[in-house]
Amino acid sequence: MAGGLSLYAEGKSLLHRAHPLTKGALTLSAIAIAFIAPSIGWVLGIGVILLVLVTAAGVLRRLLAVAAAILLPITLLLLAVQGFANANNRTVAFALGPIVYYREGLAIAALAALRIACLVCATFLFSFTTRPADISEALMQRGLSTRMGYVVQSALQIIPQTLDMAGRIQDAQRARGLETEGSLPRRARAYLPLMLPLVLSSLVATQERAMALEVRGFGLPVKRVARFEFADSPLQRVLRWVLIGAVPAAIAARLAGWR
């Protein structure tokens, strides 16, 4: 089950219990190294590690459902564009009459698709195992201002909140007789009646949150006490520095001729 208006899935895995900053360092370093790594083998290795972590966290089924919808159209587009239209194409992979597909384009498309898959996998692994409130709380315990902490938490929750609000508005419009399914022209006609209430509801919700924060004294210059302290072992602190240091090391290796 998702926790509140977020992508978080309840669990007791090692990743769920890890410090939010450790999971953040893992996510950012995995994405960075996947785009720095020069070959399919390296990127595939990063993807396998991420899949192992996803499986260990117990969110593999949720990830596959989301990733398939995102990655399938992107991968097909990359394969088509790179295989047929890349200027560096030289070696024919196969030909169907006048239509020629090239090996170089296939390799470039596969590498790009794997990198995007690593990005999606790492991002959703972090989202499924970390509450937005925990992220902002951990950052504020490291010295981030409360205002910036609220901005971070709001940014992480904006997509789930918008999707939830859009679903409720769509259900309400359907109850009033609006047809939102069927052919593409019919869906296009239903777009405006859905978008206008969504925008207005978002503005009202923003005003309500601002009033609630003001009533609770959010902007008062007082010393704040943390609700709880996150468990942060020496091993996790070392792991964070290793993950952070791996990114400049990968950049240096790439500049030095990593192949």
Side-chain angles (χ1 to χ4, degrees):
M1 293 294 291
L5 292 179
S6 71
L7 298 176
Y8 177 74
E10 293 289 345
K12 298 181 180 180
S13 69
L14 186 62
L15 268 174
H16 282 85
R17 300 194 305 269
H19 195 284
L21 296 184
T22 303
K23 290 181 279 189
L26 171 65
T27 300
L28 295 177
S29 62
I31 294 172
I33 296 174
F35 279 85
I36 295 169
S39 64
I40 290 178
W42 284 101
V43 181
L44 185 61
I46 296 170
V48 170
I49 293 172
L50 289 172
L51 283 177
V52 170
L53 294 174
V54 167
T55 304
V59 293
L60 179 60
R61 184 176 296 180
R62 291 193 69 195
L63 176 67
L64 292 178
V66 176
I70 297 174
L71 293 176
L72 185 59
I74 294 176
T75 301
L76 292 177
L77 180 62
L78 285 170
L79 289 172
V81 171
Q82 296 292 345
F84 292 114
N86 192 295
N88 296 321
N89 288 335
R90 295 290 184 273
T91 308
V92 176
F94 63 86
L96 298 174
I99 302 175
V100 180
Y101 197 87
Y102 296 90
R103 292 181 183 176
E104 292 84 357
L106 176 61
I108 294 171
L111 179 58
L114 280 173
R115 285 171 170 166
I116 296 173
C118 287
L119 185 151
V120 171
C121 186
T123 301
F124 281 103
L125 175 62
F126 180 76
S127 300
F128 290 156
T129 59
T130 313
R131 294 184 180 89
D134 290 348
I135 303 167
S136 57
E137 184 70 26
L139 291 172
M140 287 188 288
Q141 289 179 11
R142 291 296 189 277
L144 187 71
S145 68
T146 54
R147 292 181 182 276
M148 286 304 300
Y150 174 74
V151 170
V152 171
Q153 183 172 339
S154 299
L156 292 171
Q157 290 181 322
I158 189 170
I159 294 177
Q161 287 176 342
T162 303
L163 292 176
D164 179 75
M165 190 179 300
R168 287 189 279 111
I169 292 173
Q170 189 175 46
D171 291 340
Q173 297 286 39
R174 284 174 179 170
R176 294 181 176 92
L178 179 67
E179 295 183 0
T180 59
E181 297 179 351
S183 63
L184 185 60
R186 181 177 296 175
R187 293 184 182 184
R189 287 194 299 269
Y191 184 75
L192 184 60
L194 292 176
M195 285 304 298
L196 186 58
L198 179 62
V199 172
L200 294 176
S201 298
S202 299
L203 294 175
V204 172
T206 301
Q207 184 181 17
E208 290 176 349
R209 284 197 297 270
M211 294 172 62
L213 289 172
E214 185 177 355
V215 169
R216 290 173 172 83
F218 182 75
L220 295 178
V222 296
K223 183 178 180 180
R224 299 184 181 272
V225 180
R227 295 176 297 152
F228 56 87
E229 291 287 340
F230 292 99
D232 192 14
S233 64
L235 178 60
Q236 289 198 68
R237 290 194 289 270
V238 171
L239 179 60
R240 284 201 294 271
W241 283 111
V242 170
L243 291 169
I244 293 170
V247 176
I251 295 174
R254 185 67 186 268
L255 294 175
W258 181 17
R259 294 290 182 269

